[in-house]
Amino acid sequence: MIRIEEISITEFRGIRNLTLKLGGKNFAISGPNGTGKSGIVDAIEFGLTGSVSRLSGKGTGGISVKEHGPHVDYRNKPDDARVVLKISISTLGQTVTIDRTVKNAKTPTITPQSAEITAILDNVAEHPEFVLSRRELIDYVLAAPGDRAREIQALLRLERVESLRTNLQRIANAAQKAVEPAKRERTSAVESLLSALQIPQLSQEKLLEAANARRTMLGLPAIAALTATTSLRDGLDSSHEKPAEQPISKKQALIDLQTARELIARIQDDSIKGQHAEITANLSALQSDPLVAAGVTREKLLADALAQAEEDTCPVCDTPWELEKLKEHIRGKLAELEEVAKKREAIQRKMSPLLEAAQRIDDALQRCEYHAKAGTPPLTVVSSEAFRLECRQRFEVIDRFVSLAETSSALEGLVVVPAKVVAELDAIEAAVKSIPNPTDADAARDYLTIAQERLERVRHAGMRLKKAEADATLADKVFEVYGSVATKALEGLYKQVEADFTEFYRFLNEEDEGSFSARLVPSIGKLGFDVDFYGRGYFPPGAYHSEGHQDGMGVCLYLALMKHVLESGFTLAVLDDVLMSVDAGHRRKVCALLKAHFPHTQFILTTHDDVWHRHMRTEGLIGNDGFARFRKWSVDEGPTEWDDRDVWAEIDGALGKHNIREAAGLLRHYLEYVSAEICHRLRAPVAFRGDGLHQLGDLLPSAVGQFRSLLKEGKAAEQSWGKTEAHDAIDVREKKVAEAAAKTLIEQWQTNPAVHYNAWANLQKEDFAPVVESYRALLALMFCPDCAGCYSVSPDRGPREGLRCTCGTTNINLKKKKGKG
Amino acid sequence: MPHTKPDIHDIPTTIFQEFIAKLRETDVAEEIIAALEKVILQEKAPTEAALRTALAPTEKTP
């Protein structure tokens, strides 16, 4: 959507005052390390988004745009640290100026203003990934699957997908977790009812049989069927009420006491003790690993923090954060603790039967306490109550599982019932036994009353369990449907990215990896990335591929991802020194890739490598004025740009100052570089040197000779096809080249000192200026005036078919008609 | 305003819409689906609490 036309930077980062005219076209910024290139990248990002990733990403604690955005001498004058961007918005056909100071980083002055412009600029600000640095490139390619997934999900704006997945999973887990206590409660309620009914198993038939026997004894009608609202006490009235002096049921009290004793004995038998010992040993083993021990605590803390994070501040320390970034940060840490979580869950599963046994004791003791308090006189049960209170606190600790040490300690006392509690049971039993035996009618009334109370409890516990199970089923189903939809969609998306990545990488490496393929394999929270290594199998990118290939992969993956994120909106990308390990041949391919696949994207590339810069020019990726070259930087002056954007202008400048030595040096270096490029592109024959150290004399005559020879070949081809007009056009061109070559005296290279660069530095300005002019004129004929790219032979191996430029303006056929020699 | 539409793949929204459509093919109550739809598609990042409420729109006392 946007392209940068011009950027003016004032007192920002290491730059004092600099204006670059990009003209909405590709642009290269080159210069040695420390000359201010990154300052421009920062300024572009700041101008468009109000922030600078380099000053706010990982590992930048204590650094901020507000504090460190202005030039160091202007750190207290954020109003003077300013970036003004002139951008064009193709969809609106408008040019817009964004004027942003560090002081008002979030409120730039935008001229003109409109809702459409604001929407587009907001959109750009939400996508700071238009800047790709080598750090991100490494994150995409070499990171661990979990880290890669986070980086790429952030790039694809998939955090919301992952966030919803996490939330639904947490809800499903919590719902599932709530089923167990509900089950325990129902089991306990059923046991209590069975105890009251004095039947071994709960069935409607047995329950009604037992209840109806008592009802018959009391002269009440039998209950035919048990419904959800049936009362076993139905029909009991005041005439059936129990005398006030003895409100408890002797028989039921004795049964409950017996149940309590049996449960206490059971929890201390070998089977439960064995389970307890095993869990304690597991906890101790985990505790001995300090990382795991700390991890359990951290995992719980982080999970809670994630659940609490709902505003733009950390729920723990109130530090301001962007909510999504905070959640992402916490999720990253939780992912690291995934193994710890698995171990914790395994132990929790093992503890479940133990907790169930303890819960049943709690329930049985509570019933005994009831009898003790209801008796005449009431008995004190402080030990039982204290023990149960302690057990409930232990349940909570175990349920929270905050730390291994605490959990282990809580578990320790869970199966040890104090002697004082047993003594209280003895006292209750003695008191109950001293109660006179009830009449049959009293016993029947007590039976129905207690059975009804406990039946109600079973009903409530059953409903709670049903609801817990229904909640768990629903949450599971929702999570499952979401998981399957999201996985399918992401797999489809990653397949497309994978296909584009493969295509781009093959394009770069068609010579030896033409059948390359790659696999992006998403799984929950992770993204696997394996690449084919010369048909020997799939491996992580860092396993066998060279660093240069990995850089290439990073760029290809970035481009494939951006294509899917922004589609036709991918109109701007800043590649910040990302191809430092890529060799010359592959850099040319990168240029071709960018031009062929992203013709509507403005690329801004920085490099410390001057040769790479020149490759961009000869490949036509950048135009003659599409670059800035910095030669030095100082804290007082900022970056110093080469005076001109053209080597010829630099040479003219040196000539103007009568500095022939400098002009000669510049011409020689440029000719050395450009001759090698032309030889490569024209497939010119050059005498082989094992050390590859060709001199200008080895290259330049060969380059010019090959160009002329190709023009001749083109003429002959056109003639064979009877294309006189094309033939004549090439003839004109050939003559111009011949004339220009003659002026350089290039054919006398080995014999005439005036054409030999060793002698140039000794010439006078008047003598050297024509030399410069002659080379300038000659080389101009070997580059396309439209795309600024050097002409090249196609294909680059095998029989020659054509001489072309990258934009297609020049396309000379080199194939003769068959039968025409 | 034809130009204000961001020219960007909104992958999450596409996934969320598909999710709601798939839920409607299950036996999950429409009341719950409608509540989820509202929360997920209207809120950029629905909180766990909001999702919990959506999943239990008419909390009944057992």
Side-chain angles (χ1 to χ4, degrees):
Chain A
M1 279 173 282
I2 68 154
R3 287 167 173 267
I4 297 176
E5 298 293 329
E6 185 180 303
I7 180 168
S8 294
I9 308 162
T10 312
E11 305 298 357
F12 186 80
R13 301 291 289 148
I15 298 168
R16 305 306 302 257
N17 197 330
L18 180 72
T19 295
L20 296 175
K21 294 181 190 301
L22 289 78
K25 296 177 187 164
N26 294 339
F27 198 83
I29 302 157
S30 68
N33 290 333
T35 49
K37 302 183 297 295
S38 296
I40 296 173
V41 174
D42 292 347
I44 292 171
E45 190 183 354
F46 176 75
L48 290 174
T49 70
S51 68
V52 178
S53 317
R54 212 188 302 274
L55 302 184
S56 56
K58 275 185 268 183
T60 55
I63 303 177
S64 67
V65 174
K66 196 176 171 189
E67 294 282 324
H68 307 99
H71 185 273
V72 66
D73 292 343
Y74 273 69
R75 59 190 181 280
N76 296 323
K77 298 175 188 168
D79 210 17
D80 290 339
R82 176 185 299 268
V83 174
V84 180
L85 279 171
K86 198 180 282 179
I87 61 165
S88 54
I89 302 177
S90 57
T91 47
L92 299 181
Q94 276 187 287
T95 301
V96 175
T97 302
I98 307 168
D99 186 343
R100 202 186 290 264
T101 65
V102 170
K103 187 176 180 185
N104 299 314
K106 295 292 171 197
T107 50
T109 304
I110 297 166
T111 317
Q113 273 199 326
S114 72
E116 290 103 323
I117 291 170
T118 305
I120 286 170
L121 294 182
D122 285 349
N123 195 15
V124 173
E126 280 180 17
H127 283 266
E129 59 272 5
F130 60 77
V131 177
L132 176 72
S133 71
R134 189 168 159 75
R135 183 182 70 77
E136 281 111 18
L137 188 135
I138 294 298
D139 285 341
Y140 297 143
V141 176
L142 297 181
D147 297 336
R148 178 184 300 114
R150 276 196 296 284
E151 292 293 334
I152 289 180
Q153 282 178 354
L155 187 76
L156 290 172
R157 288 292 177 274
L158 297 179
E159 300 105 318
R160 287 162 59 205
V161 178
E162 182 60 14
S163 166
L164 183 56
R165 190 194 68 77
T166 308
N167 280 334
L168 289 177
Q169 185 169 33
R170 285 173 64 84
I171 292 170
N173 288 347
Q176 196 57 51
K177 205 174 165 187
V179 172
E180 274 308 305
K183 268 187 187 164
R184 285 204 297 268
E185 162 63 13
R186 186 173 182 280
T187 304
S188 189
V190 168
E191 275 183 4
S192 170
L193 176 61
L194 290 174
S195 151
L197 291 169
Q198 296 152 45
I199 56 175
Q201 281 181 330
L202 190 61
S203 70
Q204 177 174 308
E205 188 190 355
K206 292 280 179 198
L207 186 151
L208 288 180
E209 187 184 319
N212 283 336
R214 274 70 180 185
R215 289 179 66 83
T216 305
M217 191 177 292
L218 293 170
L220 298 171
I223 298 168
L226 192 66
T227 68
T229 55
T230 301
S231 169
L232 302 179
R233 293 180 78 250
D234 195 26
L236 275 179
D237 56 27
S238 56
S239 66
H240 300 101
E241 284 305 309
K242 189 173 182 171
E245 62 273 16
Q246 194 44 264
I248 66 168
S249 161
K250 180 175 182 179
K251 193 169 184 182
Q252 186 58 50
L254 289 173
I255 290 170
D256 288 341
L257 283 160
Q258 180 59 25
T259 305
R261 289 182 191 285
E262 282 171 10
L263 289 171
I264 289 171
R266 203 181 303 164
I267 207 168
Q268 286 167 337
D269 75 10
D270 290 345
S271 145
I272 297 282
K273 271 186 177 167
Q275 286 177 26
H276 184 265
E278 187 187 340
I279 295 164
T280 307
N282 284 346
L283 284 170
S284 301
L286 284 181
Q287 240 175 304
S288 64
D289 181 342
L291 283 179
V292 176
V296 170
T297 312
R298 273 170 64 76
E299 192 230 346
K300 178 69 183 159
L301 172 74
L302 291 167
D304 286 345
L306 188 60
Q308 298 294 321
E310 293 185 358
E311 290 175 7
D312 284 354
T313 51
C314 170
V316 179
C317 64
D318 292 335
T319 305
W321 274 84
E322 277 179 38
L323 180 60
E324 272 316 304
K325 282 189 177 169
L326 173 64
K327 285 188 171 183
E328 197 59 30
H329 180 71
I330 301 173
R331 276 191 212 108
K333 291 189 174 297
L334 271 172
E336 289 167 13
L337 297 173
E338 206 172 317
E339 279 307 305
V340 173
K342 280 182 189 163
K343 288 179 179 169
R344 176 181 53 75
E345 282 163 13
I347 289 188
Q348 280 181 319
R349 275 196 298 277
K350 280 186 182 170
M351 282 195 295
S352 183
L354 208 62
L355 290 175
E356 192 178 319
Q359 167 106 41
R360 289 162 77 185
I361 291 178
D362 175 271
D363 199 56
L365 288 177
Q366 193 177 11
R367 291 198 298 271
C368 294
E369 285 168 21
Y370 168 80
H371 295 309
K373 288 175 185 174
T376 310
L379 296 173
T380 58
V381 280
V382 284
S383 297
S384 177
E385 284 175 335
F387 173 66
R388 285 200 306 109
L389 180 64
E390 193 187 325
C391 281
R392 288 186 179 188
Q393 287 166 348
R394 288 175 191 278
F395 286 161
E396 281 177 23
V397 171
I398 291 168
D399 193 46
R400 284 204 311 266
F401 213 110
V402 172
S403 83
L404 289 175
E406 270 186 26
T407 307
S408 186
S409 162
L411 197 66
E412 196 111 328
L414 201 60
V415 293
V416 181
V417 181
K420 281 183 181 174
V421 174
V422 178
E424 280 180 359
L425 290 180
D426 292 342
I428 300 168
E429 189 170 340
V432 170
K433 278 183 176 167
S434 70
I435 298 170
N437 286 333
T439 62
D440 288 347
D442 283 346
R445 183 199 55 235
D446 287 346
Y447 181 97
L448 291 176
T449 302
I450 293 170
Q452 179 58 34
E453 279 172 16
R454 297 188 183 182
L455 178 61
E456 282 303 311
R457 187 181 156 201
V458 168
R459 282 174 174 154
H460 278 94
M463 286 172 73
R464 278 195 291 270
L465 174 59
K466 204 172 164 187
K467 179 166 187 326
E469 285 176 336
D471 286 352
T473 305
L474 172 66
D476 262 355
K477 188 174 285 176
V478 168
F479 175 60
E480 194 185 305
V481 170
Y482 181 73
S484 106
V485 167
T487 303
K488 195 174 162 196
L490 293 183
E491 276 175 359
L493 169 71
Y494 286 129
K495 279 277 164 223
Q496 293 170 32
V497 172
E498 182 184 290
D500 281 328
F501 165 77
T502 302
E503 184 186 351
F504 297 160
Y505 187 80
R506 281 182 184 173
F507 186 96
L508 294 191
N509 300 279
E510 61 191 348
E511 283 186 5
D512 61 343
E513 289 191 271
S515 55
F516 170 88
S517 58
R519 291 175 183 162
L520 275 170
V521 187
S523 58
I524 293 173
K526 293 182 179 173
L527 182 63
F529 181 38
D530 288 324
V531 295
D532 167 48
F533 187 70
Y534 297 95
R536 302 296 201 279
Y538 286 85
F539 305 96
Y544 296 111
H545 277 93
S546 71
E547 206 174 320
H549 284 86
Q550 290 167 28
D551 277 8
M553 282 181 202
V555 170
C556 291
L557 188 54
Y558 169 76
L559 292 171
L561 289 165
M562 291 304 280
K563 182 178 163 186
H564 286 276
V565 178
L566 300 174
E567 296 185 331
S568 61
F570 183 36
T571 58
L572 174 68
V574 181
L575 306 183
D576 188 11
D577 223 353
V578 295
L579 293 168
M580 54 199 262
S581 301
V582 176
D583 60 37
H586 289 95
R587 282 173 180 174
R588 286 195 190 91
K589 285 287 190 181
V590 170
C591 291
L593 174 74
L594 299 183
K595 286 173 66 182
H597 285 268
F598 300 93
H600 305 299
T601 305
Q602 178 187 25
F603 288 100
I604 298 169
L605 306 103
T606 71
T607 177
H608 62 268
D609 184 347
D610 208 39
V611 176
W612 172 212
H613 172 135
R614 291 189 184 280
H615 279 141
M616 290 185 230
R617 292 179 66 187
T618 47
E619 292 298 323
L621 182 65
I622 58 172
N624 279 336
D625 55 353
F627 62 91
R629 287 171 65 208
F630 298 141
R631 54 181 166 183
K632 62 176 185 170
W633 175 90
S634 73
V635 70
D636 291 322
E637 294 177 11
T640 306
E641 209 183 340
W642 283 99
D643 289 339
D644 296 286
R645 301 178 181 283
D646 190 305
V647 68
W648 301 111
E650 285 176 35
I651 293 169
D652 288 346
L655 275 175
K657 290 183 278 182
H658 291 271
N659 190 344
I660 309 304
R661 182 168 292 277
E662 185 185 338
L666 283 167
L667 180 60
R668 173 191 160 184
H669 284 126
Y670 181 63
L671 288 177
E672 277 172 351
Y673 153 74
V674 82
S675 303
E677 275 299 303
I678 295 170
C679 284
H680 171 82
R681 314 259 329 206
L682 300 184
R683 297 171 55 183
V686 177
F688 177 76
R689 286 189 62 89
D691 58 7
L693 297 175
H694 295 102
Q695 293 188 349
L696 189 53
D698 302 325
L699 300 169
L700 188 57
S702 178
V704 176
Q706 177 74 351
F707 189 56
R708 294 177 67 181
S709 161
L710 288 167
L711 292 176
K712 279 190 173 50
E713 214 172 304
K715 272 169 53 183
E718 298 298 6
Q719 200 161 29
S720 74
W721 292 94
K723 294 186 176 174
T724 315
E725 206 174 311
H727 168 275
D728 293 348
I730 301 171
D731 189 51
V732 170
R733 190 179 276 205
E734 189 199 355
K735 283 180 178 142
K736 282 185 182 171
V737 174
E739 267 176 48
K743 283 184 182 166
T744 64
L745 306 177
I746 206 161
E747 278 117 5
Q748 302 168 37
W749 186 266
Q750 300 298 339
T751 55
N752 186 346
V755 302
H756 199 285
Y757 60 82
N758 286 339
W760 287 348
N762 301 323
L763 297 178
Q764 296 299 307
K765 179 186 172 186
E766 297 71 35
D767 299 324
F768 189 57
V771 173
V772 170
E773 205 44 53
S774 64
Y775 281 107
R776 189 198 316 236
L778 174 62
L779 291 175
L781 294 169
M782 298 166 83
F783 282 77
C784 171
D786 292 333
C787 65
C790 176
Y791 297 127
S792 61
V793 169
S794 172
D796 66 353
R797 287 178 193 278
R800 292 189 289 261
E801 292 175 5
L803 179 66
R804 292 164 190 151
C805 67
T806 44
C807 70
T809 305
T810 289
N811 191 354
I812 297 174
N813 174 34
L814 298 177
K815 283 179 81 175
K816 282 184 184 172
K817 192 174 181 182
K818 280 185 183 169
K820 295 283 181 179
Chain B
M1 292 194 291
H3 295 305
T4 54
K5 181 186 169 293
D7 203 358
I8 285 176
H9 235 158
D10 188 352
I11 299 162
T13 300
T14 311
I15 291 176
F16 296 162
Q17 285 166 341
E18 169 74 7
F19 163 53
I20 296 297
K22 282 279 175 205
L23 265 189
R24 289 209 157 93
E25 293 172 15
T26 68
D27 58 357
V28 173
E30 175 56 31
E31 185 187 10
I32 289 172
I33 298 173
L36 280 173
E37 184 176 26
K38 195 174 168 194
V39 166
I40 293 172
L41 291 173
Q42 282 182 7
E43 293 181 27
K44 250 191 163 182
T47 61
E48 190 179 327
L51 289 167
R52 275 184 193 280
T53 309
L55 282 168
T58 48
E59 192 73 43
K60 292 183 185 77
T61 307

